[in-house]
Amino acid sequence: MTLLRRGRWITGIALLLLGGLYVRALVFTPEERLQGLAQKIYYVHVPSAWSAMLAMGMVGLASILFLLLKDARYDRFASASAEVGTAFSLVMLTTGPLWARPIWGTWWTWDARLTLTLMLFFLFIGYQVLRGAVTDPGLRARYAAVVGICGLVLLPFIHLSVYLFRTLHPMPIVLKPGRPSLPGSMLETLLLSFGVFTLLYVGFVMQRYAIGERSHDA
Amino acid sequence: MTPDVVPPTGGYMVAAYVVAAVILLGYTVVLWRRGGSISKT
């Protein structure tokens, strides 16, 4: 089975699981008392942010490996991961304001966490604009790798921004020192959502990598 | 102290879930079409 077909299978399974996640989150996961139903946006917003950051992490690591080893496969992987990360960061940036509006009373605020995640989105876009603008493959790969490494450097600042700055965005309640401060059923749904979105990332990247590889060979 | 009535925020929740599904399914279709067109060449 080719990489493209395997990617399609994994994406198909992940989409079925996404349907299951929707049912579990909307029907079987309890409603939060203060925020009401809007809190359930959590189960798509947080895992999409996770996948976007995973994607940029992979772009950065593949970029470092490309610069060290000069292997074009790492460049193609970074390119694939950047495109997939753009899709997940778009989910993050659209679901976030839809949650913020009823809870904070505003769609957007220029606090550290939100501004840095917007920067992450622009880095994804910039990475792809750069790849489209530079025609020489060697230069394109090197310039793109530098942008990818910048994205990797940005990730810890995004995660730690809620500790470093005064921000409206809540602190992590799962990815933090100590036990997660979330009731069991909500935590199970959140962990399922992390699994589903990670699987989606894997399926998307496999497909996108295969497409990039075939375009390169053609 | 918790409010007696949970605020009506269901519309935002539905909008977020629909937007997420549209983006993810839309990207799936884009990849499918691009993969399909390449496999024919």
Side-chain angles (χ1 to χ4, degrees):
Chain A
M1 195 187 282
T2 63
L3 185 65
L4 182 66
R5 284 183 70 86
R6 273 183 283 161
R8 282 177 170 173
W9 271 105
I10 290 174
T11 303
I13 292 166
L15 287 174
L16 284 176
L17 290 171
L18 182 70
L21 170 70
Y22 270 38
V23 172
R24 183 182 164 99
L26 298 176
V27 182
F28 297 106
T29 304
E31 195 177 324
E32 206 268 344
R33 272 189 304 177
L34 295 174
Q35 297 190 16
L37 290 170
Q39 185 273 336
K40 295 193 180 199
I41 296 172
Y42 187 64
Y43 306 113
V44 287
H45 176 70
V46 176
S48 61
W50 152 253
S51 288
M53 291 175 73
L54 172 69
M56 186 50 96
M58 291 294 138
V59 172
L61 291 177
S63 299
I64 291 170
L65 288 171
F66 170 75
L67 290 178
L68 290 175
L69 305 173
K70 307 290 180 210
D71 186 335
R73 287 177 298 179
Y74 292 115
D75 176 53
R76 282 202 287 277
F77 176 81
S79 171
S81 188
E83 187 182 291
V84 173
T86 311
F88 283 114
S89 57
L90 199 57
V91 175
M92 169 185 68
L93 285 174
T94 47
T95 55
L98 283 165
W99 191 6
R101 183 70 182 91
I103 305 306
W104 297 345
T106 180
W107 296 100
W108 184 265
T109 176
W110 292 101
D111 81 357
R113 170 62 74 89
L114 276 68
T115 307
L116 289 175
T117 51
L118 187 63
M119 271 180 69
L120 178 70
F121 177 69
F122 286 143
L123 267 175
F124 277 129
I125 297 289
Y127 181 94
Q128 284 159 99
V129 169
L130 177 73
R131 292 191 76 92
V134 181
T135 50
D136 180 80
L139 278 180
R140 178 175 61 213
R142 261 184 286 160
Y143 291 164
V146 173
V147 177
I149 292 167
C150 290
L152 180 66
V153 170
L154 180 65
L155 296 183
F157 289 98
I158 293 176
H159 184 69
L160 296 173
S161 57
V162 286
Y163 299 108
L164 297 172
F165 304 98
R166 282 165 61 95
T167 166
L168 268 178
H169 196 281
M171 300 237 177
I173 59 172
V174 177
L175 294 175
K176 59 165 191 167
R179 292 173 62 82
S181 40
L182 199 64
S185 58
M186 290 182 173
L187 182 62
E188 285 166 16
T189 305
L190 182 69
L191 293 177
L192 173 68
S193 72
F194 276 120
V196 169
F197 275 69
T198 305
L199 198 63
L200 259 183
Y201 166 78
V202 171
F204 283 160
V205 166
M206 285 172 75
Q207 288 189 74
R208 179 60 184 77
Y209 181 89
I211 292 166
E213 202 167 39
R214 289 198 196 178
S215 308
H216 178 77
D217 294 340
Chain B
M1 193 170 164
T2 57
D4 295 333
V5 181
V6 175
T9 57
Y12 294 99
M13 178 197 73
V14 172
Y17 275 75
V18 168
V19 165
V22 166
I23 293 169
L24 295 174
L25 289 173
Y27 187 56
T28 302
V29 172
V30 167
L31 284 177
W32 185 277
R33 290 171 68 98
R34 281 161 71 187
S37 65
I38 282 173
S39 59
K40 284 175 194 162
T41 56

